[in-house]
Amino acid sequence: MHFKDKWLACLSLGYQTFRTHISNHTDKPVWNSEKKLLLETNGPRVARISIFETNRVSSNNLIGFCDIDLLNYFSRDSDSKDEVLNLADPSSPDTIVGKVSISCKIEDPIETKMSFARRILSVMDCNGDGKLSFSEFAELADAFGNKLAAEKKEALFRAADKNGDGAVSIDELAILLATQQENEPLINCCPVCGESLEVSDKLNSMIHMTLCFDEGTGNQIMSGGFLTDKQASYGWMFKLSEWAHVSSYDIGLNSGSSSSHILVFDRKSKRLVEEIIDKKIVLSMRAIYQSRVGLGLLDKGAKELLQSISEKQGRSMNSPESVKNIPDFLKFFQDQINISEIKYPLDEFKTFNEFFIRELKPGARPIASVENDGVAVCAADSRLTAFKSMEDSMRFWIKGRKFSIQGLLGNEISGAFIDGALVIFRLAPQDYHRFHIPVSGTIEQFLEIPGCLYTVNPIAVNSKYCNVFTENKRVVSIISTSQFGKVALVAIGATMVGSITFLKEEGEYVQKGDEFGYFSFGGSTVICVFEKDAIEIDEDLIANSTKSLETLVSVGMTLGISKLQRS
């Protein structure tokens, strides 16, 4: 390490994050902590290790991170599974700030199940003979909390007692639990964490329980129960805030509506990450958008005030003096902006807005299936929610009472898009703020719709008292395509966004992935609306959206495939 302090490490994979204990006052921290993880063929495979400096009560700093593809790691020919990995600087991933040593091994699933049986037996073996008598087995069956297990104690005991000695050994219990769980589950929820076990995934249910009962090998077991590395880095402080109802870290919408930490699922790394927002801004948004009183104030002149503030802020961010805000902005979002991707050096930007509408280096955002126009791609670096229909969007995400396709697009052009799929790309201030063409085709028209400048943060989007997407200033463009029919792309202004600039014109033929335009300073949103039954949106995007969970995507990632080309 290039630093000297107290340290902790976090390990994230998919929806789970674990943390080590704190290593005190050393420039070479040692944790010797371990955790078993279930690696599925089609599941998350890239684990992230994050190193935090933790010398203050109120704040922990992310110092470095590294990613490891576990599937590739175990596929290599080398016998050694020890590895030294470089730790990248969060704000400049090309810069190395230290190294971390890890060791990985694969455990035989049979041994995993045996360790679970040993743990269960040790709890229920009252006389310490290493076996379960019928009375001990009956108590275990009752503890499962399963009606089937309680009613069939004798039959299950006879089935387990293979050698007929009147007792159930470790081996016999392991076989019973494994075979019974796969055929007719005895355990419906994990006795350790309380999580419901999916009947359709019986093998993984058994492995889940073995991991929860994990005893380790003498080294400290990494503690879990966290969703992200930042959350884990706060440890007991996070749990205290939960107990005190200061903030909420539920997945998805509940988090976005009630705390300054919005959780989104990073599609590339397949894990949850936090989007940090200034707490003062969150408090003000709650006061305005989540109450009748706040929205009443908007009706009495605050809308005009938001317009005035946005225009004033826009002028300020175009002034030469605004360039001094760039370093602070980068520091605040240090692990969310990759400086190495920016096309021009930072010292070439003469205003903050020039930096805000920055271009990226060629190739920084590869376009999926570039030769196949039947594949639609993501239009922006953003937090995406996708729905098969307007009805689904209102059930899972948009709570405004009067939201409709007609309200979004205007009566003039909305008819073609009734019951069509809806995709929302929400841009946060730290994002690359140029939006791109999602499908190849010809731009038929632009329709500018005047309106307010509400924030597009989920706190406002999920307000029952206003309809952000149908009341904000926006520009609707219609793209006529051969593969998807007509596609409506809506660029929506927001608080602090002074203008929406388009780089294409009516009548122009565009290729998917082409740069379409940009938003000036602030956060904003792009919405794509497809005709009914025109697109099959990627399943992972739909699955997250039905959990009210946004997916972090980049320009050019796959969005879905045409259903029209197959009909």
Side-chain angles (χ1 to χ4, degrees):
M1 285 290 182
H2 298 170
F3 308 88
K4 190 173 183 180
D5 223 318
K6 297 182 180 180
W7 306 95
L8 65 88
C10 296
L11 172 67
S12 299
L13 181 70
Y15 292 97
Q16 302 179 86
T17 293
F18 310 91
R19 60 169 280 168
T20 66
H21 66 292
I22 292 175
S23 181
N24 291 327
H25 299 290
T26 174
D27 58 350
K28 293 183 179 179
V30 176
W31 295 287
N32 284 333
S33 295
E34 67 173 26
K35 190 65 189 179
K36 291 181 183 178
L37 299 169
L38 177 60
L39 190 62
E40 301 174 273
T41 303
N42 297 319
R45 53 188 281 179
V46 179
R48 169 161 292 192
I49 299 170
S50 307
I51 308 298
F52 286 85
E53 168 209 25
T54 176
N55 67 336
R56 291 184 293 276
V57 174
S58 60
S59 178
N60 296 319
N61 294 325
L62 176 63
I63 298 301
F65 72 93
C66 61
D67 292 336
I68 177 169
D69 187 318
L70 294 174
L71 200 57
N72 288 344
Y73 184 85
F74 286 114
S75 299
R76 62 187 189 178
D77 294 332
S78 172
D79 293 332
S80 173
K81 298 304 178 186
D82 296 336
E83 183 109 357
V84 176
L85 303 174
N86 291 328
L87 293 171
D89 188 317
S91 60
S92 182
D94 292 335
T95 303
I96 305 302
V97 296
K99 297 179 183 293
V100 62
S101 176
I102 66 168
S103 177
C104 299
K105 64 179 181 180
I106 297 175
E107 183 174 273
D108 189 323
I110 295 175
E111 175 54 34
T112 305
K113 294 174 184 178
M114 288 296 293
S115 69
F116 177 59
R118 282 193 292 269
R119 187 66 178 271
I120 287 283
L121 191 144
S122 68
V123 173
M124 305 306 298
D125 181 15
C126 299
N127 60 12
D129 65 354
K131 298 181 179 181
L132 294 183
S133 64
F134 175 72
S135 62
E136 292 170 335
F137 185 89
E139 290 182 18
L140 175 61
D142 289 336
F144 287 155
N146 183 303
K147 186 177 180 181
L148 169 69
E151 291 177 348
K152 296 185 176 181
K153 295 174 187 176
E154 293 187 13
L156 290 171
F157 184 79
R158 288 195 301 272
D161 184 16
K162 298 292 185 183
N163 61 8
D165 64 353
V168 174
S169 68
I170 289 177
D171 290 346
E172 291 170 335
L173 180 61
I175 293 171
L176 173 72
L177 291 175
T179 57
Q180 192 68 35
Q181 194 67 17
E182 291 188 29
N183 297 319
E184 196 171 12
L186 296 176
I187 308 174
N188 295 328
C189 65
C190 178
V192 180
C193 71
E195 180 178 327
S196 295
L197 301 175
E198 296 291 338
V199 176
S200 60
D201 198 5
K202 295 158 188 166
L203 177 60
N204 284 346
S205 294
M206 172 60 64
I207 296 175
H208 168 96
M209 288 185 287
T210 66
L211 299 184
C212 275
F213 272 109
D214 184 18
E215 290 181 286
T217 59
N219 294 334
Q220 178 170 329
I221 304 302
M222 299 180 75
S223 59
F226 305 101
L227 296 174
T228 68
D229 53 2
K230 286 188 176 63
Q231 187 186 97
S233 75
Y234 286 95
W236 67 269
M237 290 182 61
F238 160 74
K239 296 181 186 299
L240 177 62
S241 71
E242 282 279 74
W243 175 80
H245 304 290
V246 173
S247 62
S248 169
Y249 286 79
D250 295 334
I251 289 180
L253 179 58
N254 291 333
S255 175
S257 300
S258 58
S259 82
S260 59
H261 299 255
I262 297 175
L263 297 185
V264 298
F265 190 78
D266 187 331
R267 195 184 200 190
K268 184 177 180 180
S269 64
K270 292 189 178 181
R271 64 173 173 273
L272 289 168
V273 296
E274 293 185 28
E275 177 187 336
I276 307 302
I277 305 173
D278 187 283
K279 294 179 180 179
K280 297 188 291 296
I281 294 177
V282 170
L283 289 174
S284 64
M285 284 193 291
R286 286 185 197 159
I288 294 175
Y289 295 101
Q290 294 292 331
S291 71
R292 291 182 183 273
V293 175
L295 266 296
L297 292 175
L298 288 182
D299 288 335
K300 297 183 183 302
K303 292 180 181 179
E304 289 76 12
L305 179 60
L306 284 176
Q307 179 77 32
S308 174
I309 291 173
S310 294
E311 291 174 355
K312 182 178 179 181
Q313 191 71 16
R315 289 192 296 271
S316 172
M317 291 304 168
N318 277 318
S319 68
E321 293 77 17
S322 65
V323 74
K324 68 178 183 295
N325 295 314
I326 296 176
D328 288 341
F329 188 86
L330 289 172
K331 183 177 180 182
F332 188 77
F333 296 114
Q334 64 167 332
D335 57 338
Q336 299 184 43
I337 298 177
N338 186 352
I339 297 175
S340 64
E341 291 181 338
I342 301 175
K343 185 174 182 179
Y344 301 108
L346 293 178
D347 57 12
E348 290 192 16
F349 295 115
K350 304 306 179 187
T351 69
F352 183 86
N353 203 40
E354 282 188 13
F355 162 75
F356 189 78
I357 60 173
R358 59 194 176 272
E359 297 176 73
L360 301 183
K361 293 176 180 176
R365 294 292 181 270
I367 307 303
S369 303
V370 68
E371 302 298 330
N372 184 358
D373 287 343
V375 177
V377 298
C378 294
D381 283 13
S382 59
R383 294 103 184 94
L384 177 150
T385 42
F387 307 100
K388 296 179 181 179
S389 68
M390 175 68 70
E391 182 181 348
D392 284 350
S393 72
M394 296 182 71
R395 183 162 67 249
F396 296 115
W397 186 248
I398 304 168
K399 304 305 180 185
R401 295 174 182 173
K402 300 177 182 178
F403 181 68
S404 66
I405 286 292
Q406 292 89 341
L408 177 67
L409 304 179
N411 291 324
E412 180 184 337
I413 57 177
S414 61
F417 300 98
I418 301 297
D419 297 327
L422 183 82
V423 184
I424 303 170
F425 302 92
R426 178 177 67 85
L427 286 72
Q430 61 270 35
D431 288 328
Y432 163 65
H433 257 65
R434 292 175 180 253
F435 52 94
H436 292 240
I437 301 286
V439 291
S440 298
T442 301
I443 301 173
E444 278 193 1
Q445 70 176 112
F446 289 102
L447 176 64
E448 187 168 340
I449 303 176
C452 309
L453 287 175
Y454 292 138
T455 177
V456 292
N457 185 278
I459 292 174
V461 171
N462 293 292
S463 170
K464 296 182 293 184
Y465 308 112
C466 70
N467 297 287
V468 170
F469 296 146
T470 60
E471 294 185 44
N472 272 25
K473 170 187 175 182
R474 57 200 182 278
V475 179
V476 181
S477 53
I478 303 297
I479 304 173
S480 179
T481 78
S482 61
Q483 300 287 347
F484 295 92
K486 293 184 185 296
V487 177
L489 188 145
V490 189
I492 301 177
T495 306
M496 304 303 177
V497 177
S499 63
I500 305 170
T501 302
F502 284 88
L503 303 175
K504 303 294 183 182
E505 299 179 351
E506 285 186 8
E508 189 172 350
Y509 182 82
V510 291
Q511 294 278 359
K512 69 175 182 180
D514 286 353
E515 191 176 315
F516 197 13
Y518 57 83
F519 295 103
S520 296
F521 176 66
S524 199
T525 291
V526 172
I527 296 180
C528 281
V529 188
F530 293 82
E531 294 181 285
K532 184 179 180 180
D533 297 327
I535 186 173
E536 183 176 325
I537 297 173
D538 290 350
E539 183 55 39
D540 64 314
L541 302 177
I542 294 292
N544 284 338
S545 299
T546 55
K547 300 176 193 172
S548 299
L549 178 65
E550 294 173 296
T551 304
L552 187 64
V553 298
S554 300
V555 168
M557 285 184 174
T558 60
L559 175 63
I561 60 174
S562 169
K563 295 172 72 173
L564 300 179
Q565 65 178 347
R566 296 179 295 172
S567 60

